[in-house]
Amino acid sequence: MKNNVLFFWYSSCETSVEESLILINAIMVKHYIKVALRLIKRSFLFSTINMLGFVFGMTAAFLIYLWVINELTYDNCFPDADRISRVIEVSRETSGEIKESPESIRSLVRVFKEDFPQVEDATAIKYEDNLTLETDDEKRIIGKYVHVDSTFFHVFPFPIIEGNPEQLWDNLDNVVLSEVMARKLFGNASAIGKKVKRNYVGRTDVHTVVAVVKIPAKSHIQFDVAFSIDAYGLFSMGWNWDSMRRGMHVYVKMKQGDKGKLYRQEQRTMRHALKKFGEKRTLLRFQPIRDIHLHTTFSDENVKNHGSLATMYLFVALAILVIFMGAFNFMTLSTARASLRYKEIGVRKVTGAKRKTLITQFLSESLVQSFISLVFALALTELMLPLFNQAMETAITLRMNWDIIFYILFGIIGIGCLAGAYPAFYLSSVNPLLAFKGGRKTGKKGGLIKGLVCIQFFIAIVLMLMTFIVLKQLHFMENKDLGLDRENIVSIHTSLWYEVADFKQDLLRNPDIKSVSMGSPIESFGEGNLEKKNGQAAIRWTDIDGKTDSLQMMEIWADGDFVKTFGLQLLKGELMDSYFENYWMQSDSDKPVQPTIVINETAWKAMKVADPIGMEVYKEFSGWAVKSRIVGVVKDFNFQSLREKMKPAYIYYNPECLGDMYIKIAPERKQETLKYIQQKFEEWAVRDDIFVKEFNYQFFSDTLNKNYAKEQQQSRMLLFFTIIAIVIAMMGVFGLVALSTEQRTKEIGVRKVNGAHSDRIVRMFCLEYLRWIGIAFVMACPLGYFLMHRWLSEFAYQTPISWWLFLLAGAMIAGITSFTVFGQTWRKASQNPVESLRYE
């Protein structure tokens, strides 16, 4: 009984001790927070500078963090994304170059399903251009359409708004609309069962809406209207659409197992699937759909929302640098301000405070400031998100989840401890005897302070150099002579490919319209127009020695006015035949008309022939070999990104592919001319069934500048980070100068009594910081040059790295710093020396 009582008493005491420790710790934490808040209030200027550095740094890093998470989660909207892969064709060109293409044949779907039991499902989607849908109340909307097979919505279960997508295959006239398209056509009313019309190849088709689906913004598959893929076969003029590659993407969905990854043996077998169709030189690889957004390194014209892994790494590095600059500011000012706290530290040590306790106190001060900064950073992030989304063309929102909570904890604990670590350990090591004697000065000759300030200047100069070179390259690309006229050319989509002459003449009656040409969309000019089989080149010919040679060329569909409209220079020969009647006589059995083409200067040089005029060549098109004759050579012209070198190209008249019209207008009366074009467009849209019903236009120069969307995005973000870095660095300089002038007030008074002028004292302070800038400048130039050269190496055509960029960056940092130092020191240097000498 006695032992039980003792045990109960002992347990009660133990519990009481634990509760007491918890209470003591709570009191200590409350004390640390109270002391930290008092410190902020007492040194409001320096605390504000510290926290603003944190706020700007964390805001920038937080925005980039949200953007990176957004980039890394593309195609996560599909529940089985880890088991779905896109089929990529890999072939070796005759030159030895490896080519990859996401376009393949739909017949692979059947092969995968029948021959490979590890494949759970397979599907195909065929991307098309734009079409116009018209409602019964004559509302006309343009949208991008696709053809999908019967398993598409099983593999890609887009969220269903209304209806049933499975009914798409009940009738070839059924369609599935995207939510955006349905709202444009029918508003908030239900779209199910509604009729829509489209004009296609001289006929009007009426379709029934059977479902509306939501297309997530982070899906690589984007469309407005979906038709059955069997409906495409109705309009293919007898072609075997199962073997067509253009715009056709094939996907496989693997069965469960090993997280859905393709086993090595399975991949080794499936990669040879094209052998069934006689294509032994083309292999397949399987690209996980989550890799499409960031890891697509080949031409992929049908997917418009590709990201850039290099850009993501760049922005992450910039965000880390800006955070560290904020932390460096805190370390610099806290260390420089140490002499003002020596007596406080001495008193604490004399009264029994241990070094561990002091370290905890100083770290708590840093954590409190970082917490306050983080609260403001979250608020600033929310305010800046609309501008950020506009600059980055995203739709990011700030939502509290585990990722955000992790970032907050990291921001408070990680950055707070990092910034406060050195001041805490440094201040806690002060000898109390030295502290009571007045301490040692750290504001003027502290090596750490100089080093941290130099690092901030170093980062600011490097960022400024990168911003300058990106802006300079952008200006270079947007103003480089491309060998064609880019200004004052308007492009409109018409779908008109016959009886073009009458519409062109109708437009040319306006004296402000100089020339009109029909062509394919500028976005499709390039390798996407090439169709090759077994790796053979698109153009073949026989030279004078009887040897067969070949060359891969880009095909440009246009009419005879293309050269005049775009101001191309004809070097040799004449323009190709662009008569509508002759085109249809090419296959005439009695008197066939041979098609003609015009090549560019690069193609002439690559063919290595003395005179290409009159040469007969064979074009590969959908498995057919079309015999053509070269009749002219034009000077090189470039409409692609200047990342790539000029490529061999030929211009060919194919009226069936000429759905876009290019109109060269006078620059004086643009708005009046555009209204005239719209008026004529609408008149012909009512008169002609094939004509697109909705008028949209864009300037050719704007279309070209879309090639540099990535560079424009990089320039905006670099400029943003550069400004943030300069602001943080200047806040640090502002705080250091303010602290230094306070510590050296007596020195300033002595100098003035001895005859020193105010401007000389100001110059003394400025030269001190300019020396630090000089050191940072010397270190930043080699790294800046390396980064600029590395970035420019991605472009075939580059702006030179001018010497004045380095001088401009150094001069701007020096000028801003001098202005900051001048503003802080002039007031102190101009005051009465009597006041300065009475300071202490």
Side-chain angles (χ1 to χ4, degrees):
M1 182 68 179
K2 181 179 180 181
N3 291 336
N4 291 337
V5 172
L6 290 174
F7 177 77
F8 177 79
W9 178 82
Y10 178 79
S11 301
S12 300
C13 290
E14 186 177 17
T15 304
S16 178
V17 169
E18 290 178 353
E19 291 178 351
S20 299
L21 290 175
I22 294 174
L23 181 61
I24 291 172
N25 289 331
I27 294 173
M28 291 300 294
V29 170
K30 183 179 179 181
H31 171 71
Y32 290 145
I33 294 175
K34 187 180 295 186
V35 171
L37 293 175
R38 286 175 179 172
L39 179 66
I40 293 173
K41 184 178 180 180
R42 187 170 67 247
S43 304
F44 186 76
L45 175 62
F46 300 108
S47 298
T48 301
I49 293 173
N50 276 339
M51 288 190 291
L52 282 178
F54 273 135
V55 168
F56 292 142
M58 288 184 180
T59 300
F62 202 22
L63 290 171
I64 294 302
Y65 174 79
L66 294 174
W67 178 75
V68 168
I69 294 298
N70 183 72
E71 291 290 290
L72 293 176
T73 53
Y74 261 75
D75 289 306
N76 278 3
C77 50
F78 303 115
D80 298 319
D82 59 332
R83 295 194 284 134
I84 305 172
S85 299
R86 183 173 64 168
V87 176
I88 306 298
E89 290 195 4
V90 184
S91 59
R92 185 185 296 273
E93 301 297 315
T94 54
S95 62
E97 183 182 2
I98 300 296
K99 287 283 187 179
E100 291 186 310
S101 172
E103 297 180 336
S104 192
I105 57 176
R106 189 214 173 188
S107 299
L108 284 174
V109 173
R110 173 177 50 81
V111 173
F112 288 140
K113 288 182 178 180
E114 294 177 357
D115 297 354
F116 300 96
Q118 66 272 21
V119 174
E120 179 179 308
D121 213 340
T123 189
I125 176 174
K126 189 178 191 311
Y127 291 94
E128 299 290 349
D129 294 323
N130 295 326
L131 57 69
T132 301
L133 290 184
E134 183 177 355
T135 63
D136 292 337
D137 57 358
E138 297 186 352
K139 181 182 289 186
R140 304 178 182 95
I141 301 295
I142 289 181
K144 183 175 180 60
Y145 72 104
V146 297
H147 291 278
V148 298
D149 67 7
S150 58
T151 59
F152 177 77
F153 289 107
H154 291 288
V155 179
F156 298 103
F158 289 97
I160 299 173
I161 304 301
E162 56 179 343
N164 182 9
E166 299 300 321
Q167 295 180 1
L168 179 63
W169 297 275
D170 293 347
N171 191 308
L172 296 182
D173 290 328
N174 291 344
V175 295
V176 173
L177 301 180
S178 70
E179 183 183 17
V180 174
M181 190 67 169
R183 297 296 168 257
K184 288 180 179 179
L185 288 169
F186 306 108
N188 294 324
S190 174
I192 303 303
K194 297 290 181 64
K195 303 293 184 180
V196 291
K197 294 182 292 184
R198 74 161 175 170
N199 299 309
Y200 188 82
V201 195
R203 54 185 284 179
T204 299
D205 296 318
V206 180
H207 301 279
T208 303
V209 180
V210 295
V212 176
V213 297
K214 180 179 179 63
I215 309 297
K218 293 199 293 183
S219 166
H220 76 279
I221 299 175
Q222 298 286 323
F223 61 87
D224 296 303
V225 188
F227 296 94
S228 166
I229 205 166
D230 295 327
Y232 175 74
L234 296 177
F235 311 117
S236 59
M237 297 177 288
W239 292 355
N240 181 9
W241 56 267
D242 266 347
S243 61
M244 265 194 173
R245 281 179 167 81
R246 181 166 298 170
M248 188 77 72
H249 289 203
V250 177
Y251 297 84
V252 293
K253 181 180 179 181
M254 305 304 295
K255 291 181 178 178
Q256 289 281 4
D258 194 21
K259 297 183 179 180
K261 294 181 180 178
L262 294 173
Y263 300 104
R264 291 186 179 180
Q265 184 61 38
E266 294 168 346
Q267 184 177 1
R268 190 177 298 115
T269 306
M270 294 174 66
R271 66 188 300 192
H272 298 284
L274 283 175
K275 282 185 177 181
K276 279 207 165 189
F277 308 98
E279 300 188 27
K280 299 180 180 180
R281 297 180 57 187
T282 303
L283 300 178
L284 304 177
R285 77 173 180 90
F286 302 90
Q287 182 185 31
I289 61 170
R290 286 176 174 169
D291 291 347
I292 292 176
H293 181 66
L294 288 175
H295 299 275
T296 298
T297 57
F298 45 81
S299 177
D300 190 3
E301 296 179 353
N302 295 305
V303 177
K304 304 297 184 182
N305 55 2
H306 283 301
S308 170
L309 197 62
T311 301
M312 189 177 72
Y313 288 149
L314 172 64
F315 290 169
V316 169
L318 293 176
I320 293 174
L321 287 177
V322 171
I323 282 183
F324 274 101
M325 287 190 71
F328 291 159
N329 250 8
F330 186 92
M331 294 173 65
T332 302
L333 293 178
S334 297
T335 306
R337 198 175 45 171
S339 60
L340 302 179
R341 304 189 65 185
Y342 279 150
K343 290 185 178 180
E344 172 195 344
I345 297 167
V347 170
R348 288 182 179 273
K349 282 198 169 186
V350 168
T351 55
K354 297 181 180 179
R355 188 180 182 192
K356 179 180 178 181
T357 305
L358 292 174
I359 292 175
T360 304
Q361 176 193 333
F362 295 134
L363 287 178
S364 66
E365 293 173 3
S366 177
L367 290 173
V368 169
Q369 293 194 36
S370 65
F371 175 78
I372 297 174
S373 302
L374 196 61
V375 172
F376 283 105
L378 287 170
L380 187 58
T381 300
E382 184 67 28
L383 291 174
M384 293 189 65
L385 262 178
L387 294 176
F388 183 82
N389 284 329
Q390 183 179 358
M392 302 298 289
E393 299 179 353
T394 56
I396 300 172
T397 57
L398 181 60
R399 297 177 180 176
M400 294 305 278
N401 51 40
W402 285 110
D403 293 333
I404 304 300
I405 293 173
F406 170 79
Y407 180 85
I408 291 174
L409 292 176
F410 173 77
I412 295 174
I413 300 174
I415 304 300
C417 291
L418 173 68
Y422 182 84
F425 286 96
Y426 174 77
L427 293 174
S428 63
S429 64
V430 172
N431 188 318
L433 182 61
L434 180 63
F436 286 119
K437 288 183 176 180
R440 55 175 179 256
K441 299 294 182 183
T442 60
K444 182 178 179 180
K445 298 182 179 180
L448 175 69
I449 295 175
K450 293 180 180 179
L452 293 177
V453 172
C454 284
I455 290 175
Q456 292 189 30
F457 286 143
F458 170 81
I459 294 173
I461 293 173
V462 170
L463 288 180
M464 192 172 288
L465 288 173
M466 287 300 299
T467 304
F468 286 164
I469 199 63
V470 172
L471 293 175
K472 191 169 185 284
Q473 177 69 10
L474 263 178
H475 182 268
F476 169 77
M477 293 186 297
E478 292 174 355
N479 294 276
K480 186 180 186 301
D481 182 13
L482 302 178
L484 50 76
D485 294 338
R486 70 168 92 194
E487 301 298 333
N488 304 314
I489 296 179
V490 180
S491 66
I492 59 174
H493 182 63
T494 65
S495 291
L496 189 66
W497 58 274
Y498 74 103
E499 295 183 1
V500 179
D502 293 338
F503 182 49
K504 290 171 65 175
Q505 290 303 318
D506 207 1
L507 291 176
L508 289 170
R509 289 189 178 94
N510 188 322
D512 290 322
I513 296 179
K514 305 301 181 183
S515 179
V516 181
S517 173
M518 291 295 293
S520 58
I522 290 297
E523 292 84 353
S524 67
F525 286 1
E527 294 184 357
N529 281 346
L530 299 176
E531 290 205 19
K532 53 184 182 297
K533 188 175 181 180
N534 295 331
Q536 294 180 1
I539 295 292
R540 293 183 290 111
W541 69 92
T542 303
D543 60 21
I544 57 176
D545 298 325
K547 295 181 180 180
T548 301
D549 206 347
S550 61
L551 180 65
Q552 190 78 30
M553 292 192 192
M554 295 187 298
E555 184 177 54
I556 301 172
W557 293 316
D559 64 11
D561 293 320
F562 182 84
V563 172
K564 176 184 177 183
T565 302
F566 285 93
L568 306 185
Q569 182 179 347
L570 186 65
L571 299 179
K572 290 177 67 70
E574 58 187 21
L575 300 179
M576 72 280 185
D577 176 11
S578 60
Y579 292 104
F580 186 80
E581 296 78 9
N582 289 350
Y583 173 80
W584 298 104
M585 294 179 64
Q586 293 177 13
S587 57
D588 193 310
S589 57
D590 298 329
K591 292 183 179 180
V593 175
Q594 188 180 45
T596 58
I597 63 173
V598 172
I599 64 174
N600 68 352
E601 194 175 5
T602 297
W604 178 16
K605 294 176 182 178
M607 292 176 70
K608 299 178 181 178
V609 294
D611 189 358
I613 305 300
M615 287 183 58
E616 292 185 338
V617 296
Y618 293 88
K619 302 190 296 94
E620 294 287 340
F621 179 74
S622 297
W624 300 349
V626 181
K627 189 177 181 179
S628 304
R629 182 167 51 89
I630 300 175
V631 296
V633 179
V634 294
K635 190 174 181 180
D636 283 336
F637 58 96
N638 202 338
F639 43 79
Q640 291 185 299
S641 169
L642 295 182
R643 289 176 174 271
E644 303 176 14
K645 291 184 178 180
M646 188 74 65
K647 295 180 180 178
Y650 66 91
I651 306 174
Y652 173 61
Y653 176 65
N654 183 349
E656 298 174 86
C657 300
L658 307 184
D660 283 40
M661 180 168 283
Y662 299 97
I663 308 168
K664 189 171 186 178
I665 64 177
E668 293 80 15
R669 292 163 43 87
K670 285 186 179 180
Q671 294 303 320
E672 292 82 356
T673 308
L674 288 173
K675 289 180 181 178
Y676 177 83
I677 295 172
Q678 181 175 0
Q679 176 188 344
K680 293 300 178 183
F681 180 97
E682 292 172 350
E683 290 177 5
W684 276 76
V686 174
R687 176 189 319 175
D688 196 304
D689 290 337
I690 291 183
F691 221 98
V692 170
K693 306 304 179 184
E694 185 179 2
F695 177 76
N696 283 296
Y697 74 90
Q698 58 182 341
F699 282 95
F700 179 67
S701 57
D702 295 335
T703 305
L704 287 180
N705 288 337
K706 290 179 182 178
N707 289 330
Y708 313 121
K710 175 184 173 183
E711 287 73 29
Q712 290 169 349
Q713 185 186 73
Q714 289 179 344
S715 66
R716 289 191 294 266
M717 291 307 297
L718 275 170
L719 183 60
F720 169 74
F721 276 109
T722 301
I723 293 173
I724 291 294
I726 293 175
V727 169
I728 292 176
M730 292 307 111
M731 285 194 305
V733 170
F734 180 89
L736 281 176
V737 173
L739 184 63
S740 181
T741 52
E742 288 296 324
Q743 292 176 337
R744 300 168 67 179
T745 301
K746 189 173 182 178
E747 175 191 342
I748 293 173
V750 171
R751 289 180 179 273
K752 293 205 70 174
V753 168
N754 290 329
H757 294 287
S758 298
D759 58 344
R760 185 174 179 181
I761 295 174
V762 171
R763 187 164 59 249
M764 177 188 68
F765 277 91
C766 288
L767 289 176
E768 184 176 337
Y769 285 90
L770 289 177
R771 281 197 295 269
W772 299 352
I773 292 176
I775 296 172
F777 179 77
V778 171
M779 293 189 300
C781 284
L783 179 62
Y785 180 85
F786 170 78
L787 294 176
M788 288 191 291
H789 185 270
R790 181 72 177 268
W791 185 80
L792 286 174
S793 64
E794 298 181 7
F795 298 89
Y797 304 92
Q798 306 171 2
T799 185
I801 302 177
S802 305
W803 58 268
W804 54 265
L805 292 176
F806 299 90
L807 292 184
L808 180 60
M812 287 185 66
I813 294 295
I816 297 173
T817 303
S818 298
F819 180 78
T820 304
V821 175
F822 177 83
Q824 277 291 95
T825 57
W826 180 258
R827 179 181 60 84
K828 186 67 69 172
S830 300
Q831 73 179 13
N832 192 322
V834 175
E835 296 295 330
S836 300
L837 292 175
R838 292 171 56 186
Y839 175 73
E840 297 184 357

